[in-house]
Amino acid sequence: MSYAETETASQPDCWRRAAALAGGPEAAALPAAGERIAVVGCGTSYYMALAYAGLREGSGQGESDAFAASEFPFGRTYDRVVALTRSGTTTEVLELLNRLRGTTRTVAVTADPETPVKAAADDLVVLDFADERSVVQTRFATTALTLLRAHLGLHTEQAVADAKTALAEPLPDGLLEAAQFSFLGRGWTVGLAHEAALKMKEASLSWTESYPAMEYRHGPISISTEGTATWMLGEAPEGLAEQVGATGATWVDGPLDPLADLVRVQRLALARAAARGLDPDLPRHLSRSVVLDGS
């Protein structure tokens, strides 16, 4: 069994631990209601940042922006910047935190406190129990989002139960053979859709795309046909399932919490990797952290 498979299967327990931390002293550095914040990350962490920002602002807890760390707008003023970084060594995140030192309060959510992020951020929240050996992120990303979701008061035990269901139930028929995938989201789940597409690319070299669900009709649906799949994370816009079905594509959705549904996508990515003889722990051209020369 790959590390990625083991780490994917551990998510319900990790989520429970993260939710318990959300009300404790470890989370005191997280944004308070009403603060104007930005959330940053790279790759998977950027997509979790998008989801958190959507949840926070959507629930009326404060203006919340999300950026890839390399695209942060330094001309804007924020009360706090939250950086998501599993490794604590990613060049773009460290450069951003160092540049903000002394001007904007920063907090990093990380899996490894004994890395350069310890000195770069004003505060740390450590999720070392969710660290991973696989290059492909699964449990750290969802555990970090669970912590943030719980801190907003938006996490429920049903999400954990749904994650267990996502791990136990068979995957939808026909997806191992699908030629192309489109992942869709609305509001905070747009970030999950982008992460779902990335996971399929990284682990199984699958052809994937991702969009806000209402945008799918504005061009991307033209790729839908027999042998492709369109997967909705969260509640679908009215009529979209029927419209996609009419193209001959497979429509996938379900009653699970959207974060738990992402676990189903992770399982599919690993299953497709196995079917293709790929090692999801060591995807081609990738490393655990992007550390640029001279950093």
Side-chain angles (χ1 to χ4, degrees):
M1 182 176 288
S2 66
Y3 292 125
E5 290 173 284
T6 302
E7 290 156 2
T8 295
S10 71
Q11 288 174 106
D13 289 339
C14 288
W15 294 7
R16 281 202 180 94
R17 293 183 67 175
L21 288 177
E26 299 90 345
L30 295 175
E35 288 186 337
R36 184 171 189 257
I37 72 162
V39 198
V40 300
C42 297
T44 288
S45 291
Y46 168 49
Y47 297 140
M48 295 299 102
L50 283 172
Y52 171 49
L55 275 170
R56 186 174 185 271
E57 186 156 330
S59 61
Q61 300 193 44
E63 186 174 343
S64 309
D65 295 328
F67 304 100
S70 59
E71 298 298 320
F72 184 80
F74 287 96
R76 297 188 188 181
T77 302
Y78 292 100
D79 297 314
R80 196 178 308 254
V81 170
V82 181
L84 306 182
T85 171
R86 175 179 66 170
S87 69
T89 61
T90 303
T91 296
E92 298 100 302
V93 173
L94 294 177
E95 289 181 346
L96 169 62
L97 292 173
N98 285 321
R99 187 168 171 182
L100 291 175
R101 179 168 291 281
T103 63
T104 304
R105 192 77 187 176
T106 61
V107 55
V109 180
T110 186
D112 187 352
E114 302 304 323
T115 58
V117 75
K118 181 177 183 179
D122 295 313
D123 300 296
L124 287 184
V125 178
V126 179
L127 303 176
D128 51 1
F129 58 88
D131 202 356
E132 297 160 326
R133 296 185 66 174
S134 177
V135 168
V136 171
Q137 280 202 53
T138 53
R139 73 181 180 190
F140 176 76
T142 62
T143 300
L145 185 55
T146 296
L147 168 77
L148 297 167
R149 197 178 179 190
H151 189 254
L152 296 172
L154 301 176
H155 170 78
T156 67
E157 186 61 26
Q158 186 60 49
V160 177
D162 283 354
K164 289 184 175 181
T165 299
L167 289 165
E169 289 190 346
L171 292 169
D173 291 338
L175 297 187
L176 279 178
E177 300 78 28
Q180 187 272 343
F181 294 84
S182 295
F183 293 97
L184 310 179
R186 299 184 81 181
W188 73 281
T189 70
V190 173
L192 300 188
H194 292 328
E195 169 58 11
L198 178 63
K199 210 53 47 197
M200 293 286 286
K201 292 173 186 174
E202 290 177 329
S204 64
L205 305 182
S206 298
W207 173 20
T208 64
E209 300 176 354
S210 52
Y211 305 95
M214 290 296 287
E215 284 296 300
Y216 197 59
R217 296 183 176 99
H218 294 271
I221 196 172
S222 63
I223 202 69
S224 293
T225 188
E226 291 185 11
T228 71
T230 302
W231 190 316
M232 181 73 212
L233 289 103
E235 185 176 356
E238 185 176 355
L240 184 57
E242 293 76 14
Q243 191 171 356
V244 170
T247 71
T250 298
W251 173 264
V252 184
D253 63 6
L256 300 180
D257 179 273
L259 192 58
D261 209 22
L262 179 60
V263 175
R264 283 207 300 167
V265 179
Q266 294 170 347
R267 285 186 57 214
L268 175 62
L270 296 175
R272 283 174 65 93
R276 296 181 175 194
L278 301 172
D279 182 355
D281 292 332
L282 296 170
R284 68 182 187 183
H285 313 315
L286 296 179
S287 60
R288 175 177 163 85
S289 173
V290 176
V291 179
L292 303 178
D293 291 343
S295 300

